[in-house]
């Protein structure tokens, strides 16, 4: 389906509000800019990014560069693009083999589903994929990954619940080399007894990957639930400090009115937004495209 339809929830509140505000004949007065600010905040664009967008527009209005509401609409679109475009950098699978993608994120954000969708996406590009089930903390995680691997007909390297995650990763690295796999996707724990315990475990996994291949992991992909809004930003900060995130996957954008969170993420972190999740199906992981995203949000 079209991205626009997938983002229906954000569409309903944000887009309709914007049409009323900017596509008619409204005067460019304080009320209009206050309403615009409220709309941006309600879509979870965040205080700082909202101020940045609105003040750039009011500056242009006072310099007589924008004369009516439709011109403000154009300036808003440009402002949103300028924020998102630097983060529109696709994940390219470099020639190194295996290309190692370490996937991190707290439980419940859609990490396992995203891994399955990503594996499917890479497989459809003609690449061979191996999975490593290194979330050994949660019993269901290994089973869930095995189920997906079975459906996608992709090998998965796993041990029992409670096994040493580093040992699983070590095995998986060797298996991926032996099979000449193009890509190894490593699932990791999303919860431990403590937050520090989790970050220690992720650092350990990272070290094991790096010991086997000094240039790996080639990507540390953080999965975040876009519906958790500003909370996702604080998760990002923790993971970034602990394991050095190189790309983001933002899930559940179909079920939230908070699609503006991508603007806050982009402006505050500058990290590449590799993928967006817009549903539970295998085809519901999209490569992020700034222009397509902005056009899906705007009326
Ligand atoms: P994990 O605990 O992070 O591994 O989360 P799961 O991958 O098990 O996903 C948790 C739930 O979120 C499942 O019911 C998924 O189907 C659902 N989910 C994941 N991604 C998306 C998405 O982009 N959109 C929607 N609507 N649901 C999603």
């Amino acid at each position: 389906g079209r991205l626009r339809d997938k983002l229906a929830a954000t569409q309903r509140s944000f887009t309709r509000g914007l049409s009323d505000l900017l596509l008619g004949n409204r005067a460019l007065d304080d009320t209009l800019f206050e309403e615009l600010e409220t709309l941006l905040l309600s879509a979870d664009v965040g205080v700082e990014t909202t101020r940045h967008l609105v003040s750039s527009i009011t500056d242009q209005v006072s310099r007589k560069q924008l004369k009516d509401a439709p011109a403000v609409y154009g300036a808003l679109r440009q402002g949103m693009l300028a924020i998102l475009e630097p983060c529109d950098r696709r994940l390219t699978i470099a020639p190194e083999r295996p290309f190692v993608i370490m996937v991190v994120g707290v439980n419940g954000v859609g990490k396992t589903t995203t891994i399955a969708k990503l594996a499917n996406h890479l497989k459809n590009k003609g690449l061979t994929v191996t999975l490593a089930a290194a979330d050994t903390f949660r019993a269901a995680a290994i089973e869930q990954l095995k189920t997906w691997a079975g459906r996608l007909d992709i090998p998965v390297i796993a041990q029992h619940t409670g096994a040493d995650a580093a040992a699983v990763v070590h095995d998986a690295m060797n298996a991926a080399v032996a099979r000449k796999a193009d890509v190894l996707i490593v699932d990791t724990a999303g919860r431990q007894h403590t937050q520090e315990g989790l970050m220690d475990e992720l650092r350990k996994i990272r070290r094991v990957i790096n010991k086997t291949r000094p240039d790996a992991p080639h990507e540390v992909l953080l999965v975040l639930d876009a519906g958790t809004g500003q909370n996702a930003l604080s998760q990002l900060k923790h993971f970034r400090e602990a394991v050095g995130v190189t790309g983001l996957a933002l899930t559940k954008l179909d079920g939230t009115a908070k699609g503006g969170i991508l603007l806050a993420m982009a402006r505050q972190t500058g990290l590449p937004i590799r993928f967006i999740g817009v549903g539970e199906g295998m085809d519901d992981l999209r490569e992020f495209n700034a222009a397509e995203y902005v056009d899906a949000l705007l009326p």
Side-chain angles (χ1 to χ4, degrees), residues 278-291:
V278 292
E280 296 188 276
M282 277 299 100
D283 295 330
D284 291 328
L285 188 72
R286 307 285 177 90
E287 283 183 316
F288 175 69
N289 176 290

Side-chain angles (χ1 to χ4, degrees), residues 2 20 31-32 45 47 54-55 66 72 80 86 90 108 135 142 171 177 181 211 225 237-238 255 278 285 290 292-293:
R2 285 161 70 224
D20 291 347
T31 322
L32 180 132
V45 172
V47 175
V54 175
S55 72
L66 305 173
V72 168
M80 289 168 74
R90 291 192 178 181
D135 178 1
I142 300 170
D171 281 0
V177 171
K211 227 170 149 183
D225 177 345
K237 189 169 172 286
H238 285 123
V278 292
L285 188 72
E292 187 194 18
Y293 193 76

Side-chain angles (χ1 to χ4, degrees), residues 107-113 117 138 144 252 254 277-280:
N107 282 353
V109 294
K111 184 156 53 73
T112 315
T113 316
K117 290 172 178 170
R138 191 170 55 127
Q144 210 184 336
K252 309 191 194 183
D254 52 314
V278 292
E280 296 188 276

